[in-house]
Amino acid sequence: QVQPVESGGGLVPAGGSLGLSCAVSGSIFKSACLAWYRQAPGKQRELVATVTPSSSTDFADSVKGRFTIYRDSAKNMMYLQMNSLKLEDTALYYCNAKGIRFTFWGQGTQVTVSS
């Protein structure tokens, strides 16, 4: 299997924290740039954070300072730690694994932030 599988979504109060996990096939993990995207109702899918094979990271301005992305090569896992959650963080979150010749998407995990 090569399709990423994400987990960890749920209902969280504003100001709270939540961690998302993505299991990535070992056949592509080493070479893949990994990322989290999200899509809120009625909006385009947007890039949240990326982590390269060398563990360089980048974040959308809207989450910078609140979210952390990292990868664990021993487990073939990628994570998104979300802190200080806001109502506008509510979205379906997708794991993405991208190489020069491939792009794979997970099915998504729902994150809902309540007031």
Side-chain angles (χ1 to χ4, degrees):
Q1 68 168 51
V2 293
Q3 185 171 19
V5 179
E6 59 268 80
S7 61
L11 179 64
V12 196
S17 297
L18 193 67
L20 305 182
S21 301
C22 176
V24 182
S25 171
S27 66
I28 64 169
F29 186 93
K30 181 178 178 293
S31 62
C33 182
L34 305 177
W36 288 97
Y37 288 75
R38 68 187 182 187
Q39 187 167 26
K43 298 183 64 177
Q44 295 276 0
R45 185 175 298 184
E46 65 174 340
L47 178 62
V48 177
T50 60
V51 56
T52 70
S54 63
S55 293
S56 296
T57 61
D58 198 13
F59 299 89
D61 288 343
S62 59
V63 308
K64 199 167 297 181
R66 300 188 297 120
F67 290 12
T68 301
I69 187 172
Y70 56 101
R71 59 198 292 159
D72 185 341
S73 60
K75 298 180 180 179
N76 293 327
M77 296 286 290
M78 188 264 287
Y79 305 94
L80 183 69
Q81 179 62 44
M82 305 181 291
N83 300 321
S84 301
L85 283 161
K86 304 175 179 179
L87 293 178
E88 50 263 45
D89 294 319
T90 294
L92 190 63
Y93 283 71
Y94 295 92
C95 177
N96 174 268
K98 182 178 179 65
I100 295 173
R101 300 193 300 151
F102 62 83
T103 299
F104 295 109
W105 292 90
Q107 291 297 117
T109 186
Q110 179 67 38
V111 173
T112 301
V113 183
S114 62
S115 61

